[in-house]
Amino acid sequence: MKISKTKIIKWFWIIFCTPFALLILMILLVMTGIFGSLPSFKDLENPQRKLATNIISSDGSTLGTFHVENRSPVNYEDLSPNLVNALVATEDIRFYNHSGIDFNSLARVVVKTIIGGNRAGGGGGSTITQQLALNLFSERSTNKIKRTIQKLQEWVTAVKIERSYTKEEIIAMYFNTVPFGSNAFGIRAASQTFFKKDPANLNIQEAAVLVGLVNGPTMYSPVRNPERALKRRNHVISQMCKYGYISETESDSIKNIPIDISKYSQQDHNSGLAPYFREMLKRTMNAKKPEANKYSNDADYQYDLYQWENNPLYGWCNKNTKNNGENYNIDRDGLKIYTTIDSRMQRYAEQAVEEHLGKYLQPKFNNEIKTRKQLFSDLSKKEIDNIITAAIKQSDRYREMAKAGYSHSEIIKTFDEPVNMTVFSWEKGNKDTTMTPRDSILYYKSFLRAGFMVVEPQTGYIKAYVGGINFKYFKYDAVQQGKRQVGSTIKPFLYTLAMQEGYNPCSELPCVQPRIEYSPGKFWTPESTTREEHRGKMMTLKKALALSDNWISGQLVEIFGPQALVDMCHRMGIHSYMEAVHPLCLGSADVSPFEMVGAFATFANKGVYTEPFFVTRIEDNKGNVLSTFVPESREAISSETAYLMLNLMQGVVNHGTAIRLRTMYVPEGQIAGKTGTSNNQSDGWFMGTMPKLTGGVWVGGEDRSIHFSGLALGGGSSMALPVWGIFMKKVINDKRLNVSKDDVFEKPANITLGFDCDTADKNDTEDTEQGNNNSENNNLFLLR
């Protein structure tokens, strides 16, 4: 059968045009949404991503993030030109000349992407805009038919993106959506993770490394695959040279530079500055309305209820809603939280804890444990077993196995089977070892813990916050959550009662043992180890506080009454429950460092108490201010009383139990402070203030039965004071921080006396620093 030429031509055009017609039909069907909805312009302008919340210090540093995906958006202006040039040269050299689809590469796209199912970078034909479309709105399908439809959706979406945004906006959106590995999503997170830089400051080789990562975050990771990463980086450099972004000389020179990942740090919730502070901030903002039945005492419940009703930051996420009516999610909504923390002071505070506990105190404690062959002191075997059993039941291992249906005996058995594990070590940070889970509990309990907070007394701004020794391994926050016996650091509040009632630092009381009848026929008699030569003689209040004399404290609480002391503590900012009993004057109450620092700052703030304050404003991810905050203040005591107390506590530092500050750390400048040690050296405290900074340190074991045997190392002047001293020395030496030894406490106009009445001599100081701690140790609750 003869076929006419006309029919041949007709069928040729039908066969030739049909694929194009089908392609156009498919594109039209995609545009109508028959294969699934396409992003609307609203979606394009507001892509639903999991944006990280940034916590920003008062000096502009990023302390860390809250995130599901560690992603923080940038604008085009925030990008280094090196990044833009590297991306265009490597991924889409005709980016500025097409409208979303590069038709010159269409054939390669069909062959390599649709048929082969392989989507390489620029060589695969996908434009930057198409990659953005896939990153923003699609999940990669492995089915060839579905992938073909998905590719058409990309094309349509890419064209819509090009019509809606400038090329610069597309570049920025692309960098904001790309995963770079190491839990870094977007260019800001990647820059911080790999190079500790903002994207604007990346040099050519750093930009090339990051652009090289977009096609294979694991394959080209400079951490996991350094050789491949180097080859990929040099390929990007070659592309930049090929298209004229850098010269051949620059290209050859850069290729010889090794990849520097010395500043690499994966950004997670355990890393970065101030992890305890960040967790406290999150806990505060996510707080829910308090329920009385969940509290062990009414004082804590009433305080949290007050916070809920009066503090706009407390429960902020549950009190505020977005435009769609949903509550804010601190892990997903890309907030910017501006805090009062100074990153430099925070770093010094963390260094101070590490230097004292890690390099000095913990090794001393380890040696003592080895010598006495027992971690716990003064406990029976049964009591120790009860502590370990309680710790086992609180562990993740026990809870997970119990949830899985294992019996108690089956679970306990696993705690005696050696396993490989990574544990905390002061020397190495992490240490790989093999031990039983039971032994690991004892191992972790052997570490002394610490809490350290610093505020600016005039504003209440928290400048540094260290809740523990290592957040990854010790999550408990000793600053806000931890409450321990305060020892003699409560005495300044007792002496405040005296100052406001007309006493002054030079007022005298007899150094005799009081015998206080606290109920009919029952007496409390505090002990004291003040030197024999002082006993029976008159002693000034300044000298008594410097020596931390318990007899004088007993007389004062007898004069004013324990309820007056409780009221004074509460007036100055301590909200914890305190029993109105006479031994309270020696520190029997459990109080958090957070409360203690806020209360002590009242002295340096002329008698005005300011609630410790840590957030100034919150913005959304576009920079719109959502909330601003101001500290809450009230007058607690008169400025005259506050100044008299500062004078008294300067005697503690210059001539008393805190003289170590002068001899080892800060020899000059006005410092008021007080040491404290609780029963058996379970808790060591130091509270100190200079005119511009007030700080408090607590050091102790997780359990009260874990402590030093003696006061040479176990007293507050040995355990806690050095942390404060190391920190303040660093701060004073950093001239940027404007804290000087020349700063002075402002004297009220109506106080004309200097109150340099008398001081403890050198021998008094040496004896009483330990002697009074010994009385604190043995006689806090001596009821007779």
Side-chain angles (χ1 to χ4, degrees):
M1 180 179 175
K2 224 176 184 184
I3 300 175
S4 67
K5 184 177 180 182
T6 303
K7 283 187 177 183
I8 293 173
I9 294 174
K10 177 182 176 181
W11 279 105
F12 170 79
W13 284 110
I14 289 174
I15 294 170
F16 180 81
C17 295
T18 295
F20 293 98
L22 289 173
L23 180 61
I24 294 171
L25 177 62
M26 289 286 288
I27 291 174
L28 291 173
L29 291 174
V30 165
M31 293 177 67
T32 62
I34 196 170
F35 297 115
S37 60
L38 289 173
S40 66
F41 285 106
K42 182 179 179 181
D43 292 326
L44 292 172
E45 294 165 5
N46 300 285
Q48 299 300 306
R49 305 302 281 173
K50 300 168 185 175
L51 298 179
T53 288
N54 282 271
I55 304 99
I56 302 167
S57 70
S58 61
D59 54 312
S61 298
T62 298
L63 297 175
T65 62
F66 299 133
H67 59 265
V68 176
E69 292 181 352
N70 185 19
R71 185 195 309 274
S72 301
V74 297
N75 296 317
Y76 183 81
E77 294 75 21
D78 301 323
L79 299 173
S80 164
N82 297 320
L83 275 171
V84 178
N85 295 340
L87 179 67
V88 172
T90 307
E91 295 293 317
D92 188 2
I93 191 58
R94 286 183 286 274
F95 173 70
Y96 293 103
N97 299 317
H98 63 65
S99 298
I101 302 173
D102 185 358
F103 290 101
N104 292 335
S105 301
L106 186 57
R108 287 203 313 271
V109 170
V110 172
V111 173
K112 295 183 67 176
T113 304
I114 298 180
I115 297 176
N118 173 36
R119 176 178 166 268
S126 289
T127 65
I128 290 173
T129 316
Q130 287 175 258
Q131 293 180 48
L132 172 61
L134 180 62
N135 289 338
L136 280 174
F137 308 106
S138 301
E139 292 184 3
R140 187 77 59 85
S141 174
T142 57
N143 181 282
K144 289 185 178 181
I145 295 176
K146 289 183 178 180
R147 180 67 188 120
T148 301
I149 295 172
Q150 191 177 62
K151 196 67 180 179
L152 296 176
Q153 290 176 318
E154 284 179 36
W155 291 355
V156 174
T157 302
V159 173
K160 292 179 72 175
I161 290 173
E162 289 278 353
R163 290 179 178 177
S164 303
Y165 298 97
T166 64
K167 292 290 187 179
E168 288 75 17
E169 289 172 328
I170 292 170
I171 289 283
M173 290 172 69
Y174 177 88
F175 274 121
N176 284 333
T177 59
V178 175
F180 289 87
S182 296
N183 198 33
F185 296 83
I187 192 63
R188 187 190 297 278
S191 300
Q192 287 292 333
T193 296
F194 289 96
F195 302 113
K196 277 288 186 292
K197 287 185 175 182
D198 287 329
N201 300 322
L202 293 171
N203 58 35
I204 295 174
Q205 57 266 34
E206 292 165 344
V209 169
L210 296 182
V211 168
L213 279 171
V214 302
N215 289 125
T218 300
M219 180 180 294
Y220 301 123
S221 168
V223 178
R224 301 181 65 176
N225 294 299
E227 292 183 4
R228 287 180 181 174
L230 183 62
K231 290 180 181 179
R232 180 63 181 170
R233 184 205 69 176
N234 288 346
H235 169 72
V236 175
I237 296 296
S238 296
Q239 291 296 102
M240 294 178 74
C241 177
K242 176 181 178 180
Y243 293 112
Y245 290 110
I246 58 175
S247 67
E248 286 191 20
T249 302
E250 287 178 296
S251 175
D252 293 339
S253 175
I254 293 171
K255 285 179 181 179
N256 290 321
I257 299 174
I259 297 177
D260 180 10
I261 56 169
S262 60
K263 296 182 179 179
Y264 170 83
S265 176
Q266 186 166 326
Q267 305 296 301
D268 59 24
H269 302 298
N270 295 318
S271 63
L273 274 178
Y276 288 96
F277 171 80
R278 287 185 271 127
E279 186 62 24
M280 183 272 287
L281 171 62
K282 187 174 187 177
R283 194 166 61 240
T284 300
M285 293 182 64
N286 281 337
K288 296 181 180 179
K289 186 175 181 179
E291 299 176 21
N293 61 352
K294 295 183 178 180
Y295 288 78
S296 59
N297 65 75
D298 187 62
D300 288 343
Y301 167 67
Q302 292 297 335
Y303 175 75
D304 285 352
L305 184 61
Y306 176 86
Q307 292 292 311
W308 174 266
E309 293 174 347
N310 297 278
N311 183 351
L313 184 66
Y314 190 88
W316 187 89
C317 291
N318 293 309
K319 294 176 182 176
N320 294 271
T321 57
K322 296 176 284 190
N323 292 333
N324 62 5
E326 295 178 356
N327 288 114
Y328 282 95
N329 187 313
I330 201 170
D331 293 313
R332 297 171 180 267
D333 288 334
L335 303 173
K336 292 181 180 178
I337 303 174
Y338 292 85
T339 74
T340 61
I341 293 288
D342 185 290
S343 68
R344 298 157 296 187
M345 290 191 192
Q346 178 65 33
R347 187 170 285 106
Y348 293 149
E350 293 180 8
Q351 289 172 357
V353 170
E354 180 177 354
E355 286 178 26
H356 180 54
L357 271 77
K359 296 180 180 179
Y360 177 77
L361 199 63
Q362 189 64 48
K364 295 288 187 183
F365 190 53
N366 292 342
N367 289 337
E368 181 171 312
I369 294 171
K370 290 178 182 177
T371 300
R372 70 190 190 201
K373 299 179 180 179
Q374 179 60 266
L375 173 61
F376 300 94
S377 298
D378 309 317
L379 292 182
S380 66
K381 183 179 184 305
K382 183 178 180 181
E383 289 172 320
I384 294 173
D385 289 342
N386 288 339
I387 289 174
I388 299 303
T389 299
I392 286 174
K393 289 182 176 180
Q394 292 170 1
S395 68
D396 291 337
R397 176 187 291 267
Y398 187 96
R399 286 195 293 262
E400 289 171 3
M401 292 187 70
K403 189 176 180 180
Y406 289 90
S407 68
H408 174 74
S409 59
E410 289 175 319
I411 299 173
I412 292 297
K413 184 179 178 181
T414 67
F415 274 81
D416 294 315
E417 298 171 354
V419 294
N420 296 327
M421 61 178 70
T422 301
V423 298
F424 171 71
S425 166
W426 273 119
E427 295 80 13
K428 301 177 182 178
N430 299 320
K431 181 174 72 173
D432 293 328
T433 187
T434 301
M435 67 173 73
T436 68
R438 183 186 296 273
D439 287 340
S440 74
I441 289 174
L442 290 169
Y443 174 78
Y444 280 120
K445 281 186 177 292
S446 71
F447 283 94
L448 295 171
R449 314 299 171 84
F452 180 29
M453 188 174 92
V454 179
V455 303
E456 189 176 71
Q458 291 74 24
T459 62
Y461 285 10
I462 296 177
K463 309 307 291 184
Y465 188 107
V466 185
I469 58 175
N470 184 286
F471 184 72
K472 181 178 180 180
Y473 293 97
F474 305 93
K475 291 290 193 288
Y476 190 73
D477 179 0
V479 168
Q480 190 187 63
Q481 294 177 313
K483 293 188 178 186
R484 298 292 285 261
Q485 288 177 359
V486 295
S488 289
T489 55
I490 201 171
K491 289 178 181 177
F493 306 118
L494 175 65
Y495 279 64
T496 299
L497 284 170
M499 295 302 105
Q500 74 174 10
E501 293 301 324
Y503 290 73
N504 66 58
C506 295
S507 298
E508 295 182 327
L509 288 174
C511 186
V512 295
Q513 186 179 46
R515 189 167 185 263
I516 302 171
E517 188 173 16
Y518 63 92
S519 76
K522 295 183 178 180
F523 296 87
W524 176 65
T525 306
E527 297 294 330
S528 181
T529 55
T530 298
R531 289 168 60 91
E532 281 289 337
E533 63 217 51
H534 297 304
R535 298 186 180 190
K537 299 178 182 179
M538 300 301 289
M539 180 180 286
T540 66
L541 295 184
K542 188 168 188 177
K543 189 170 190 175
L545 188 63
L547 302 180
S548 199
D549 184 82
N550 288 346
W551 285 357
I552 299 296
S553 295
Q555 293 180 55
L556 289 175
V557 80
E558 184 177 21
I559 293 170
F560 300 109
Q563 187 58 54
L565 176 55
V566 171
D567 294 341
M568 176 58 71
C569 290
H570 288 168
R571 192 189 313 165
M572 294 187 69
I574 295 174
H575 59 79
S576 291
Y577 171 75
M578 291 182 163
E579 187 177 3
V581 294
H582 292 90
L584 178 62
C585 72
L586 304 184
S588 59
D590 290 345
V591 183
S592 71
F594 189 94
E595 299 169 75
M596 291 294 288
V597 173
F600 260 77
T602 304
F603 296 122
N605 194 28
K606 303 178 182 179
V608 176
Y609 169 73
T610 301
E611 179 88 16
F613 178 82
F614 46 94
V615 172
T616 56
R617 74 179 186 276
I618 299 174
E619 296 178 356
D620 66 15
N621 57 36
K622 297 184 183 302
N624 301 309
V625 177
L626 301 175
S627 295
T628 57
F629 306 90
V630 293
E632 179 181 317
S633 300
R634 65 174 185 271
E635 184 175 349
I637 56 177
S638 69
S639 60
E640 292 80 11
T641 297
Y643 185 79
L644 293 176
M645 285 307 306
L646 290 171
N647 182 275
L648 277 166
M649 290 191 289
Q650 286 180 76
V652 176
V653 173
N654 294 332
H655 311 289
T657 58
I659 196 171
R660 183 177 299 189
L661 270 180
R662 292 306 194 196
T663 60
M664 295 184 66
Y665 304 108
V666 189
E668 299 178 283
Q670 291 191 357
I671 304 174
K674 186 69 189 78
T675 57
T677 311
S678 71
N679 267 1
N680 302 319
Q681 304 83 241
S682 293
D683 307 284
W685 290 80
F686 180 71
M687 307 299 303
T689 185
M690 293 185 74
K692 292 182 179 178
L693 291 176
T694 301
V697 185
W698 166 84
V699 176
E702 178 183 356
D703 299 278
R704 296 177 195 265
S705 55
I706 298 174
H707 54 73
F708 282 102
S709 298
L711 283 149
L713 291 169
S717 59
S718 300
M719 286 209 295
L721 180 149
V723 173
W724 196 98
I726 293 168
F727 166 79
M728 199 59 68
K729 184 177 181 179
K730 292 175 182 287
V731 168
I732 292 172
N733 289 337
D734 190 337
K735 303 305 179 185
R736 300 171 299 172
L737 299 176
N738 195 33
V739 176
S740 168
K741 62 181 177 62
D742 298 323
D743 298 331
V744 296
F745 297 112
E746 185 178 342
K747 181 189 291 187
N750 57 347
I751 292 183
T752 56
L753 297 176
F755 300 114
D756 293 325
C757 34
D758 64 0
T759 60
D761 61 35
K762 183 175 186 294
N763 291 329
D764 285 333
T765 299
E766 291 177 346
D767 287 352
T768 56
E769 181 174 356
Q770 291 195 20
N772 262 303
N773 282 330
N774 191 43
S775 68
E776 293 169 354
N777 170 27
N778 293 319
N779 300 290
L780 275 175
F781 313 116
L782 185 58
L783 300 178
R784 293 180 180 174

